[in-house]
Amino acid sequence: MVPERKRHLITSAIPYINGIKHLGNLVGSQLPADLYARYLRARGHEVMFICATDEHGTPAELAAAKAGKPVAEYCAEMHAVQAELARGFRLSFDHFGRSSSARNHALTQYFARTLGEQELISEVAESQVFSVDDNRFLPDRYIEGTCPNCGYERARGDQCENCTKQLDPTDLINPRSAISGSTRLEVRETRHLYLRQRSLKPEIAAWIDSKTDWPVLTTSIARKWLNDGDGLQDRGITRDLAWGVPAQFDGAPWQGMEGKVFYVWFDAPIEYISATAEWADATGQDDAAWQRWWRVDKGAGDVTYTEFMGKDNVPFHTLSFPATIIGANRAGGAEWKLVDYIKSFNYLNYDGGQFSTSQGRGVFMDQALSILPADYWRWWLLSHAPESADSEFTWENFQQSVNKDLADVLGNFVSRITKFCRGKFGEAVPAGGEYGPQELALIAAVAEGVASYENMMDAMSIRRAAQDLRALWVLGNEYLQSAAPWTVFKTDPTRAAAQTRLSLNLVRLYAVLSEPFIPDAAASMLAGMQTTNRDWPEDVPAALAALAPGHAFTTPEVLFRKITDEEREDWQKRFSGIRS
Ligand SMILES: [Zn+2]
């Protein structure tokens, strides 16, 4: 039974540009999205998997200033760094875009204009700190001064780093510009654009209510923001910055927004769409190629759209971005795709505390790849994904999981059967012999296990899918242990040949099933089996006969090495504190 080929659009929350992400960030969106994309492709579906870097906003400007570089140059460099790390972790994006792209500028302005024409954007007057010497309004973080709480002299206008107290710029003693150090600051009136989310609330609420299959983590966060306190509020969508999508542009239904850009949370989700357009551009295709993923009126009616993100991103994806889409769709003429399913994650903690980017605590993507290949991390992170609750990375657990699951179970199976076959039959699938009750029971158990694994993967139940996959590996190991072809060979070599043939076919099957979790090991296993047959086992008995008698193979190198106690202790020390 080959399932119907369907179209799946998958997006991962886009990582912010200012620095390398830690493993908690990775498992909160990009990695599970990759797992799902790989699985759906393996099942024969048409997949568009999109991610990008989120490049606008104050933190990017500040990080660039700290690095002594123009912000555009800084972002281009950091995008290249993040893209390289994504390749290192085998994240199989169809496109890894940039929210600073020309496509995103154009689409962000298009959505803003369309919302404005629907009277869903209002202008609101606000008082804000203006730096006379810098000749600009200052965002809160651009104002520094002495903390009224602890006396720290470099507290920021939004928060004191030293005592963590939340501040308003006007709380600071001796406030000054973080850009020039100037103290000539004044409070002036300025106007900002607001997205009128309150007027879209009934439509957003009805849409959330229709999503009865969504995880409670997702809908509970959305409902909290919709209903708690005064309920969903209008949201400011402009900022006084130079770096971003200009809020004043040709055809804008407002005046006087010069010097302002759209708030990063307005343009970042639009980048999902823009990055798909960037993909079409990069592959030499026309607009129809990306619009068939995003425009219901241009063929996206049969697309299933799934978003992956950490729980902190849920409000923007259940309320703000849908408000943009629902509001724009009111204009008629274009019907943009709303998300069909949101898979959200809790947090991954690190060894008794939290991952911390500012303190450099935990393992960061570049460090991880410098000590072990991607598959080791992928397996641990996905099999411990923080789905129903926060989860915790410990070095003991990581060592145990890698050594047991990957080395002792999967790696051992592959190594044992290929080496045995090479020694007794040579490096080709042996002929002869019939399957007995034990083999037929194994085939039935594998078929059952595959069905369960598919159900878990279809449901994006990632930890349980990992358990099912591991259970399939265990079946092979246990079979080999009890069938013991090395003993049978002494008295009944023909029967040992049948046992070996089935086991070698299991190696190929494991490669296909495991590919979404551990793509490099899967590739090594297929290369060892000298086959390009990556067909999903829609029919398990047939799949276990794919490698015919006489099919040549090469005994693979060790798939997974074990982590020693010395390494574990060394790494635990190395990653406990300040990132060097
Ligand atoms: Zn303080």
Side-chain angles (χ1 to χ4, degrees):
M1 288 182 300
V2 177
E4 190 192 347
R5 182 172 161 87
K6 291 185 176 150
R7 300 176 63 214
H8 285 271
L9 173 63
I10 300 170
T11 61
S12 157
I14 67 177
Y16 199 70
I17 193 72
N18 68 340
I20 290 165
K21 304 299 133 184
H22 55 62
L23 297 183
N25 300 132
L26 182 64
V27 75
S29 56
Q30 297 180 63
L31 191 54
D34 179 70
L35 177 82
Y36 191 53
R38 285 177 178 275
Y39 168 71
L40 291 175
R41 288 190 200 109
R43 297 299 305 271
H45 299 304
E46 187 182 358
V47 171
M48 177 59 62
F49 177 26
I50 290 294
C51 193
T53 39
D54 179 6
E55 304 192 358
H56 292 139
T58 310
E61 275 199 327
L62 289 176
K66 199 175 164 192
K69 288 177 179 165
V71 62
E73 187 183 320
Y74 170 82
C75 288
E77 284 178 17
M78 285 310 299
H79 175 81
V81 168
Q82 293 205 22
E84 182 61 30
L85 288 169
R87 280 191 289 275
F89 273 93
R90 309 294 183 245
L91 303 175
S92 60
F93 308 133
D94 287 288
H95 192 73
F96 187 57
R98 301 183 57 190
S99 71
S100 62
S101 69
R103 281 289 194 177
N104 199 41
H105 277 237
L107 273 164
T108 297
Q109 291 175 343
Y110 157 85
F111 277 105
R113 185 178 73 239
T114 307
L115 291 164
E117 287 163 358
Q118 296 304 302
E119 300 187 341
L120 288 168
I121 287 180
S122 56
E123 295 180 33
V124 176
E126 288 179 357
S127 295
Q128 205 179 327
V129 175
F130 185 87
S131 168
V132 178
D133 291 320
D134 297 312
N135 192 33
R136 62 181 285 179
F137 285 99
L138 297 179
D140 293 353
R141 311 175 164 226
Y142 275 35
I143 305 161
E144 282 183 355
T146 302
C147 174
N149 189 46
C150 72
Y152 180 61
E153 288 181 0
R154 299 198 58 190
R156 288 189 327 214
D158 57 345
Q159 190 179 29
C160 172
E161 251 186 0
N162 189 49
C163 69
T164 74
K165 189 176 168 61
Q166 306 265 319
L167 299 170
D168 276 325
T170 47
D171 297 335
L172 294 171
I173 301 161
N174 301 323
R176 61 191 178 270
S177 161
I179 301 168
S180 61
S182 169
T183 54
R184 290 175 61 196
L185 306 181
E186 313 175 356
V187 175
R188 289 191 187 175
E189 186 153 285
T190 181
R191 286 180 311 130
H192 281 287
L193 299 178
Y194 273 67
L195 180 58
R196 297 178 57 213
Q197 298 188 139
R198 271 186 299 181
S199 68
L200 289 160
K201 183 179 168 184
E203 280 160 272
I204 296 171
W207 175 69
I208 298 283
D209 285 343
S210 75
K211 301 300 178 188
T212 51
D213 62 330
W214 282 13
V216 174
L217 180 64
T218 305
T219 50
S220 64
I221 294 171
R223 289 211 174 88
K224 180 174 151 56
W225 283 75
L226 265 177
N227 302 319
D228 278 12
D230 296 330
L232 186 64
Q233 296 299 301
D234 293 350
R235 183 166 196 104
I237 57 164
T238 49
R239 291 290 185 272
D240 292 287
L241 288 176
W243 174 241
V245 180
Q248 193 64 57
F249 53 91
D250 285 348
W254 45 73
Q255 298 295 321
M257 290 292 149
E258 289 82 6
K260 298 179 198 296
V261 297
F262 287 105
Y263 179 39
V264 62
W265 261 112
F266 184 71
D267 82 69
I270 294 171
E271 169 63 10
Y272 295 144
I273 306 173
S274 309
T276 317
E278 292 167 45
W279 160 83
D281 295 340
T283 52
Q285 302 183 77
D286 60 12
D287 284 342
W290 66 265
Q291 287 174 342
R292 67 190 279 276
W293 290 101
W294 284 103
R295 292 268 303 264
V296 176
D297 58 314
K298 302 248 174 153
D302 63 346
V303 170
T304 301
Y305 175 22
T306 307
E307 293 175 347
F308 286 78
M309 69 196 64
K311 61 186 171 187
D312 51 326
N313 283 343
V314 169
F316 301 101
H317 288 81
T318 52
L319 305 170
S320 303
F321 186 41
T324 297
I325 300 288
I326 290 169
N329 284 349
R330 272 195 192 172
E335 190 187 342
W336 297 91
K337 179 99 188 112
L338 278 163
V339 67
D340 293 300
Y341 191 85
I342 294 180
K343 174 74 179 177
S344 57
F345 292 86
N346 289 284
Y347 295 133
L348 178 68
N349 293 317
Y350 178 76
D351 218 6
Q354 289 181 332
F355 277 94
S356 167
T357 301
S358 60
Q359 292 168 32
R361 187 169 190 280
V363 186
F364 288 72
M365 285 171 73
D366 55 340
Q367 298 170 327
L369 290 180
S370 77
I371 59 176
L372 284 172
D375 280 352
Y376 294 61
W377 300 105
R378 288 179 64 107
W379 173 252
W380 190 89
L381 290 166
L382 290 166
S383 61
H384 294 78
E387 288 180 297
S388 54
D390 289 354
S391 61
E392 185 179 23
F393 178 92
T394 66
W395 287 100
E396 289 79 7
N397 187 308
F398 179 63
Q399 178 192 28
Q400 190 178 25
S401 182
V402 164
N403 290 1
K404 288 204 164 147
D405 298 351
L406 297 180
D408 285 346
V409 180
L410 178 61
N412 180 56
F413 174 80
V414 173
S415 164
R416 247 176 137 181
I417 192 60
T418 50
K419 282 181 182 155
F420 170 73
C421 186
R422 181 176 62 186
K424 300 298 181 195
F425 301 102
E427 286 185 306
V429 176
E434 298 290 324
Y435 291 163
Q438 205 179 356
E439 286 70 39
L440 297 178
L442 172 67
I443 294 170
V446 169
E448 205 175 300
V450 168
S452 177
Y453 177 59
E454 289 169 349
N455 285 339
M456 291 306 146
M457 290 292 265
D458 286 335
M460 289 168 253
S461 189
I462 294 170
R463 291 172 82 124
R464 292 176 68 187
Q467 285 166 15
D468 280 348
L469 180 59
R470 187 182 183 283
L472 282 160
W473 299 339
V474 168
L475 280 177
N477 252 329
E478 287 179 349
Y479 167 76
L480 213 51
Q481 195 59 33
S482 69
W486 36 86
T487 309
V488 173
F489 183 81
K490 293 171 192 160
T491 54
D492 189 352
T494 318
R495 170 144 177 74
Q499 292 171 333
T500 304
R501 187 164 66 250
L502 180 57
S503 301
L504 288 170
N505 269 287
L506 265 179
V507 174
R508 188 201 72 90
L509 185 77
Y510 287 161
V512 173
L513 295 172
S514 309
E515 194 271 349
F517 281 90
I518 45 173
D520 287 346
S524 300
M525 288 157 75
L526 288 174
M529 290 298 109
Q530 295 189 15
T531 179
T532 54
N533 179 348
R534 296 167 162 266
D535 292 351
W536 192 263
E538 305 297 346
D539 175 339
V540 168
L544 285 173
L547 303 180
H551 179 95
F553 70 90
T554 46
T555 304
E557 297 294 310
V558 172
L559 278 185
F560 296 101
R561 71 171 186 85
K562 289 196 179 185
I563 297 171
T564 66
D565 291 349
E566 292 71 42
E567 284 175 320
R568 188 199 69 215
E569 285 162 17
D570 173 44
W571 294 336
Q572 198 157 17
K573 272 190 213 112
R574 251 169 83 186
F575 300 109
S576 61
I578 300 303
R579 182 186 163 97
S580 50

